Amino acid sequence: MDPHLQAGVTSALLERIVSPLLDNALRYARSHVTVRAARQPDGVRIDVTDDGSGVPPSFAEQLFQPGRRADPTDGHGGAGLGLPLARRLARSAGGEVTYNAEHTSGAGFVVILPAG
């Protein structure tokens, strides 16, 4: 890992973008959550993955719609606002938050932010 990796956003904004992803991963993981950060040619990539049950394929298109949850009766808290907020904040900084459907053993999300 690069000890000098720096995104082009404030630490407070970085926390507001990544926190909802971490909260969800911790909420749904069976045993572990992984966070990886790496330099990209035009910025920084942060992957947040867990080994939980994952996102139902039928719900993947709705992940970033405010107020939507795959299973509101699953016993986990939340109002379905974290992912839309994370994406909106990342986009406001010239970045993006996406769902990584290729991550098959749980859920995976990718944050791309401009370089600092």
Side-chain angles (χ1 to χ4, degrees), residues 28-113:
Y28 293 103
R30 287 191 180 104
S31 63
H32 71 271
V33 172
T34 304
V35 179
R36 290 188 177 94
R39 185 179 316 276
Q40 299 226 277
D42 57 347
V44 173
R45 175 183 171 129
I46 302 166
D47 289 89
V48 178
T49 60
D50 67 63
D51 65 345
S53 59
V55 175
S58 62
F59 187 74
E61 292 294 321
Q62 301 172 53
L63 270 171
F64 295 98
Q65 293 177 11
R68 299 299 314 254
R69 293 189 55 212
D71 182 2
T73 64
D74 64 5
H76 295 100
L81 300 175
L83 293 176
L85 176 62
R87 176 177 266 181
R88 188 169 52 247
L89 292 171
R91 287 179 172 176
S92 75
E96 184 63 271
V97 175
T98 57
Y99 168 63
N100 181 358
E102 294 176 10
H103 181 78
T104 57
S105 59
F109 290 88
V110 177
V111 178
I112 303 290
L113 295 170

Side-chain angles (χ1 to χ4, degrees), residues 18-19 49 54 79:
V18 176
S19 285
T49 60

